[in-house]
Amino acid sequence: MFARARDAGFFLTAHAGEEGPASYVWEALDLLGVARIDHGVRAMEDQALVGRLAREQVPLTVCPLSNVRLRVVDDLAHHPLRRMLDKGLMVTVNSDDPAYFGGYVNENYRASAQALGLARDEIAAIVRNGIKASLMTTAEKDQALADVDRVLAESA
């Protein structure tokens, strides 16, 4: 199915490395040929994979509140989001079925920032990653990134 979807011009992404092991992330990249990994937090258990994700800047759509609810991490304070940033991974913060797991995107940002003590520049980096990883056109991305820079400069 992924080959057919790729041939039809679809953007490919897969859930991997949340409840399943880091090897699922390798498989999503190498067997399915995805351009983005939804979740991917378990990739932190494999340093070779972390290196590849950082080099290739593969977006990881991390859903911290869902990760706690599914017991991928026992407490938001232990979530690997900050370590992922520190390793140069293109992490984004997202929601995952918020009606079921709790927390829309803004709540995921607020809770993560508070639990992990994320600084303003770290939050801004996550926002920029989200824009870069989006399916917007280049012009739309450039405008959104400029808007982020403007808002940050105005609130400095």
Side-chain angles (χ1 to χ4, degrees):
M1 286 310 287
F2 276 81
R4 288 178 60 197
R6 182 182 313 98
D7 292 346
F10 286 96
F11 179 84
L12 300 182
T13 188
H15 280 212
E18 181 186 26
E19 293 177 280
S23 63
Y24 287 10
V25 176
W26 283 108
E27 291 172 357
L29 295 170
D30 295 335
L31 299 177
L32 301 178
V34 302
R36 181 179 74 203
I37 299 293
D38 291 337
H39 300 292
V41 293
R42 300 276 306 275
M44 294 302 287
E45 298 168 4
D46 182 332
Q47 290 311 299
L49 178 57
V50 169
R52 178 181 178 181
L53 293 169
R55 275 190 314 280
E56 296 179 11
Q57 287 294 279
V58 176
L60 303 171
T61 62
V62 176
C63 305
L65 293 176
S66 162
N67 294 158
V68 172
R69 185 77 178 259
L70 291 172
R71 301 189 189 281
V72 174
V73 294
D74 61 349
D75 185 279
L76 197 52
H78 302 131
H79 195 280
L81 179 62
R82 169 175 267 129
R83 291 191 320 274
M84 296 170 91
L85 282 171
D86 291 345
K87 294 287 187 177
L89 301 184
M90 184 180 274
V91 298
T92 68
V93 168
N94 304 272
S95 60
D96 185 13
D97 297 322
Y100 183 72
F101 295 122
Y104 287 87
V105 173
N106 285 344
E107 182 56 28
N108 273 272
Y109 269 97
R110 277 192 295 274
S112 298
Q114 182 178 4
L116 298 170
L118 296 176
R120 182 175 186 231
D121 62 327
E122 292 169 311
I123 296 166
I126 295 167
V127 170
R128 286 186 183 103
N129 286 346
I131 293 167
K132 292 173 189 174
S134 77
L135 301 183
M136 293 188 290
T137 66
T138 300
E140 291 168 329
K141 289 179 187 185
D142 290 345
Q143 181 60 57
L145 290 167
D147 290 343
V148 169
D149 291 341
R150 179 184 48 76
V151 168
L152 289 171
E154 289 172 358
S155 64

